[in-house]
């Protein structure tokens, strides 16, 4: 039998692909311990979205999470993280000093291996990041990203293209210990997987580890993995329930079953794995499991939206009350992929595609260029596999006020005074935060939201987890209902409703009988006409309101400051994008009703201009 090694992705990619990476550390550590006892020794333990998300959503320190993961997994476990080349663990790219600091800090906090990829497959973006990982004493798993192009489109993402990327890596002399083919959307056809890995094995010889990573979003993951093994891969990425299949990787148990009767074996005690998965499911029982996370989507090859971004984005749409727009957004993604130059649909590029599709739906096609997407087509993230659409490039240049570039990304960033150690240290000192290596990296990679965390101003948000007391109250039919600002305790029974201790007959029917409602309203006493209190603008003034739900990132004006119409007054963050708020008129800033770090809903008063 041929032993096939695997990495358990449940506690990083699983979380990102199912819960939008929003999981509290204390909730899943018992499952890590159970997996260790079941004989699993190779874990994905952080990086990717599981770095920023701790500061953005769970209000935790990612470095402390990694320390705890090492403690629980044991000293001998291979703990692996995910890095996005020159972007390391953020959506924006970094200069060389922060790329080096990333590797040093992850080594310090117990990691063993870093998988390193570039969404554009631009080898230049892997040179400095790969060297930093190697120099830090970590194992470097260099990565080529894959996907399938929508039907009737050509230009990249075939075996010739992937072989060319690998040859570029070898020619660049980047040190690496293993090679991963990463298909974040699960859309590469099994035939392409087979031919690509067959060529890679021929180029690299028999000694190096070749890994296949995919998702089951398109329903092809098992067949992709079988094709990879037949072509010469000797390691797979597998997950565990409840974060397996669908938008995540195939389950360990599923792959074990698929290999029965073949020459391959995972070398696991399957009954011990089953027990570990039972523990994991118990750990996660209170978390909302999005229905789209567990489903195969046959239309994914037409977008393609990767598993790790699909639920992260649907969670944000739910948070912002925009889930009804989801079908239109994913339909619009195909065009953003084609006109964007066919960078692989994996973070951060998949997020750029989704953000631009979101803007095309909300504001109209190409009326508002998302910053990340615009910078990508202009060359500020590297060279795209094929040239982006010239008209989109022109629009992006006009809106972002940037010229297209062919310079190396790290060279651009090294010359940018707003990036790097000095800029991060200044952010820390300006906010009275201790200057440590960890804090420098948090400030550099998480910007304002990192500062909010470090100053204690951030709060838990966006974690969709059931409250046991709330669930018990729902089962009991107990609610607090507010009408015109007054609270009522309501308990629903089978044929009665008890309101503030007084029982009333109750009859519930599906649908709205408009005639009955009108008749009841005509005979009912007149209700209190007082409307809920609103924030009224001062006489002669004008309110500035939140255009959508989001987070206050920074205020650009102060109370009493004179402003001109269309002057920038505030920046909000929503859908992982910065949204600039402008003054609607000339005047003086009156009362500012919000502060940095505050969560907002659409229509909330931001400030008044008088």
């Amino acid at each position: 039998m041929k032993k096939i090694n695997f990495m358990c992705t449940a506690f990083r990619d699983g979380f990102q692909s199912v819960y939008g990476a929003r999981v509290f550390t204390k909730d899943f550590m018992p499952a890590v311990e159970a997996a260790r006892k079941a004989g699993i020794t190779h874990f994905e333990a952080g990086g990717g979205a599981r770095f920023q998300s701790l500061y953005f959503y769970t209000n935790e320190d990612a470095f402390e999470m990694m320390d705890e993961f090492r403690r629980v997994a044991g000293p001998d476990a291979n703990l692996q993280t995910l890095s996005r080349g020159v972007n390391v663990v953020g959506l924006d790219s970094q200069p060389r000093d922060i790329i080096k600091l990333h590797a040093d800090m992850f080594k310090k906090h117990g990691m063993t291996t870093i998988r390193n990829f570039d969404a554009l497959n631009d080898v230049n973006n892997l040179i400095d990041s790969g060297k930093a990982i190697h120099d830090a004493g970590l194992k470097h798993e260099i990565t080529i990203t894959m996907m399938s192009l929508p039907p009737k489109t050509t230009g990249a993402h075939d075996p010739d293209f992937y072989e060319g990327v690998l040859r570029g890596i070898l020619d660049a002399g980047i040190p690496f210990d293993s090679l991963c083919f990463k298909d974040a959307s699960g859309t590469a056809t099994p035939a392409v997987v087979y031919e690509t890995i067959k060529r890679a094995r021929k180029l690299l010889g028999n000694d190096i580890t070749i890994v296949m990573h995919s998702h089951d979003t398109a329903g092809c993951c098992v067949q992709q993995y079988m094709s990879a093994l037949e072509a010469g891969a000797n390691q797979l990425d597998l997950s565990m329930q409840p974060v397996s299949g669908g938008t995540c990787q195939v389950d360990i148990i599923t792959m074990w079953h698929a290999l029965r009767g073949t020459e391959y074996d995972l070398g696991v005690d399957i009954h011990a794995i089953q027990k570990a998965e039972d523990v994991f499911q118990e750990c996660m029982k209170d978390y909302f499991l999005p229905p789209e996370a567990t489903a195969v989507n046959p239309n994914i090859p037409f977008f393609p939206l990767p598993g790790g971004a699909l639920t992260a984005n649907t969670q944000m749409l739910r948070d912002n009350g925009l889930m009804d727009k989801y079908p239109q957004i994913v339909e619009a993604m195909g065009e953003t992929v084609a006109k964007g130059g066919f960078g692989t649909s994996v973070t951060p590029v998949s997020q750029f595609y989704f953000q631009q599709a979101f803007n095309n739906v909300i504001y109209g096609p190409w009326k508002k260029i998302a910053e990340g997407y615009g910078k990508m087509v202009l060359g500020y993230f590297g060279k795209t596999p094929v040239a982006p659409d010239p008209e989109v490039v022109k629009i992006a240049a006009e809106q972002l006020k940037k010229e297209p570039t062919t310079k190396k990304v790290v060279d651009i960033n090294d010359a940018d005074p707003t990036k790097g150690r000095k800029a991060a240290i200044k952010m820390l000192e300006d906010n009275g935060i201790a200057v440590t290596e960890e804090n420098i990296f948090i400030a550099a990679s998480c910007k304002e939201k990192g500062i909010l965390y470090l100053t204690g101003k951030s709060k838990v948000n966006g974690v969709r987890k059931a409250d046991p007391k709330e669930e018990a109250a729902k089962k009991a039919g107990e609610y607090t209902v507010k009408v015109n600002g007054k609270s009522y305790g309501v308990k629903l029974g089978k044929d009665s409703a008890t309101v503030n201790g007084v029982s009333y007959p109750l009859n519930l029917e599906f649908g709205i009988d408009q005639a009955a409602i009108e008749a009841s309203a005509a005979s009912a006493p007149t209700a209190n006409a007082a409307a809920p209190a609103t924030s009224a603008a001062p006489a002669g003034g004008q309110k500035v309101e939140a255009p959508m739900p989001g987070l206050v990132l920074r205020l650009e004006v102060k109370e009493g400051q004179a402003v001109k119409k269309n002057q920038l007054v505030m920046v909000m963050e929503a859908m992982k994008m910065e949204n600039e708020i402008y003054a609607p008129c000339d005047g003086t800033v009156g009362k500012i009703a919000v502060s940095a770090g505050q969560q907002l809903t659409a229509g909330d008063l931001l400030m008044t201009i008088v």
Side-chain angles (χ1 to χ4, degrees):
M1 299 292 288
K2 294 181 180 178
K3 169 77 181 319
I4 302 301
N5 294 319
F6 68 91
M7 178 172 70
C8 176
T9 60
F11 309 115
R12 204 292 301 173
D13 207 345
F15 289 159
Q16 181 172 342
S17 299
V18 174
Y19 305 116
R22 308 171 190 184
V23 177
F24 294 112
T25 301
K26 63 180 177 60
D27 289 342
F28 72 89
M29 280 301 157
V32 174
E33 183 176 12
R36 176 181 60 79
K37 290 179 179 178
I40 297 175
T41 60
H42 190 178
F43 297 93
E44 193 172 28
R50 279 291 295 168
F51 186 83
Q52 286 187 327
S53 66
L54 273 71
Y55 302 105
F56 291 5
Y57 301 114
T58 64
N59 203 27
E60 296 179 303
D61 184 359
F63 291 119
E64 290 180 1
M65 183 276 294
M66 288 187 277
D67 292 339
E68 179 67 2
F69 208 121
R70 170 56 71 190
R71 186 190 70 78
V72 174
D76 299 324
N78 182 2
L79 299 188
Q80 183 165 319
T81 60
L82 185 67
S83 176
R84 303 161 181 157
V86 293
N87 289 52
V88 289
V89 288
L91 294 179
D92 198 7
S93 58
Q94 297 291 344
R96 288 179 174 89
D97 56 3
I98 299 300
I99 291 170
K100 180 182 184 302
L101 183 60
H102 160 256
D104 291 342
M105 288 298 95
F106 277 51
K107 170 70 174 178
K108 176 181 176 181
H109 289 277
M111 301 300 104
T112 313
T113 304
I114 294 183
R115 176 178 291 169
N116 184 36
F117 74 91
D118 179 64
L120 301 182
N121 282 311
D122 184 342
V123 173
N124 283 330
N125 289 342
L126 298 171
I127 294 172
D128 293 281
S129 53
K131 184 178 185 299
I133 293 166
H134 177 77
D135 290 350
L138 293 156
K139 292 181 180 179
H140 179 211
E141 186 164 283
I142 203 160
T143 305
I144 297 173
T145 58
M146 307 179 74
M147 72 174 183
S148 179
L149 296 183
K152 298 181 180 179
T153 55
T154 58
H157 296 288
D158 55 24
D160 289 342
F161 172 71
Y162 299 131
E163 181 182 350
V165 176
L166 178 54
R167 289 185 181 276
I169 290 169
L170 295 173
D171 290 344
I174 304 170
F176 63 93
D177 302 277
S178 55
L179 168 67
C180 175
F181 287 95
K182 178 180 174 64
D183 181 5
S185 59
T187 57
T189 64
V192 168
V193 169
Y194 176 84
E195 181 61 26
T196 298
I197 292 181
K198 181 181 176 182
R199 295 187 190 186
R201 179 56 73 195
K202 184 177 179 180
L203 276 172
L204 297 177
N206 294 325
D207 295 334
I208 197 161
T209 297
I210 295 181
V211 185
M212 183 63 201
H213 167 99
S214 191
H215 294 242
D216 209 23
T217 326
C220 296
C221 192
V222 169
Q223 186 57 46
Q224 288 177 316
Y225 280 3
M226 295 302 294
S227 297
L229 295 177
E230 291 166 7
N234 47 8
Q235 183 179 311
L236 303 173
D237 280 0
L238 301 172
S239 192
M240 302 196 306
Q241 295 183 84
V243 292
S244 58
T247 55
C248 196
Q249 284 73 56
V250 166
D251 196 280
I252 297 169
I253 299 171
T254 301
M255 201 66 215
W256 170 85
H257 181 66
L259 294 175
R260 294 172 71 184
T262 71
E263 61 181 312
Y264 307 109
D265 182 67
L266 295 179
V268 296
D269 178 344
I270 201 62
H271 300 296
I273 297 294
Q274 287 178 306
K275 291 179 181 177
E277 293 204 7
D278 289 342
V279 172
F280 190 26
Q281 291 193 83
E282 177 64 21
C283 288
M284 305 308 295
K285 70 180 188 302
D286 293 332
Y287 283 83
F288 169 66
L289 188 66
E292 64 272 15
T294 59
V296 166
N297 188 333
N299 289 315
I300 282 291
F302 297 85
F303 312 165
L305 184 61
L310 193 150
T311 52
N313 283 302
T314 55
Q315 292 282 56
M316 285 189 289
L317 290 173
R318 285 188 176 94
D319 292 345
N320 290 284
L322 294 168
M323 192 60 183
D324 61 309
K325 303 293 184 184
Y326 177 63
Q328 297 169 259
I329 295 169
V330 294
E331 184 177 349
M333 260 196 74
E335 184 181 28
T336 66
V337 174
K339 292 191 174 184
F342 294 119
T344 315
S345 193
V346 60
T347 308
V349 169
S350 57
Q351 194 64 35
F352 299 160
Y353 288 150
F354 191 89
Q355 289 170 343
Q356 190 57 55
F358 175 87
N359 284 355
N360 285 355
V361 169
I362 300 298
Y363 302 105
W366 310 106
K367 298 296 184 184
K368 182 176 181 180
I369 297 293
E371 183 182 12
Y373 187 89
K375 288 170 67 176
M376 179 185 71
V377 300
L378 292 171
Y380 289 88
F381 285 98
K383 184 180 179 182
T384 55
V386 300
D389 181 85
E391 185 60 28
V392 170
V393 172
K394 180 182 177 183
I395 295 170
E398 291 172 351
Q399 291 192 19
L400 300 186
K401 296 179 174 56
K402 285 180 174 289
E403 290 299 315
T405 183
T406 57
K407 293 180 181 178
K408 287 182 64 174
V409 176
V410 287
D411 290 339
I412 295 172
N413 293 339
D414 279 350
D416 187 343
T418 67
K419 294 184 176 184
R421 289 181 64 94
K422 287 184 179 179
I425 290 171
K426 185 176 188 305
M427 290 176 71
L428 297 174
E429 290 177 342
D430 288 348
N431 288 276
I433 302 168
V435 178
T436 66
E437 296 295 276
E438 286 83 356
N439 287 352
I440 291 170
F441 187 75
I442 293 167
S445 59
C446 299
K447 306 292 186 185
E448 289 90 347
K449 295 174 87 171
I451 296 298
L452 288 173
Y453 170 81
L454 292 172
T455 53
K457 296 177 181 177
S458 62
K459 299 177 182 178
V460 172
N461 70 95
V463 180
R464 303 184 75 86
K465 184 179 179 184
D467 183 333
K469 292 182 180 179
E470 184 178 314
E471 291 301 305
K474 285 181 181 178
K475 289 181 180 179
E478 298 174 346
Y479 305 90
T480 297
V481 179
K482 286 187 177 180
V483 180
N484 283 349
K486 187 174 181 179
S487 296
Y488 299 86
V490 179
K491 182 172 183 177
L492 299 178
K494 183 177 181 181
D495 53 10
S496 66
T498 302
V499 182
N500 288 355
V502 181
S503 183
Y504 300 90
L506 174 69
N507 179 42
L508 290 175
E509 296 179 1
F510 289 106
I512 297 176
D513 185 339
Q514 194 63 40
I517 291 173
E518 290 173 356
S520 175
S523 61
T526 303
N528 187 334
T534 59
S535 299
Q542 189 163 344
K543 294 187 292 184
V544 182
E545 298 176 338
M548 64 179 70
L551 176 82
V552 179
L553 273 186
R554 57 184 179 271
L555 293 161
E556 300 287 347
V557 294
K558 298 178 180 179
E559 291 181 358
Q561 179 178 334
V563 294
K564 294 289 186 181
K565 184 178 180 180
N566 296 326
Q567 180 178 333
L568 179 66
V569 295
M570 199 186 89
V571 178
M572 288 178 59
E573 191 265 357
M575 297 300 295
K576 290 189 178 180
M577 293 184 283
E578 291 192 4
N579 297 272
E580 296 178 333
I581 310 299
Y582 298 95
C585 60
D586 293 347
T588 301
V589 177
K591 182 174 177 57
I592 296 177
V594 297
S595 58
Q598 186 173 335
Q599 292 286 336
L600 303 173
T601 59
D604 280 354
L605 178 66
L606 305 177
M607 63 184 69
T608 56
I609 296 178
V610 297

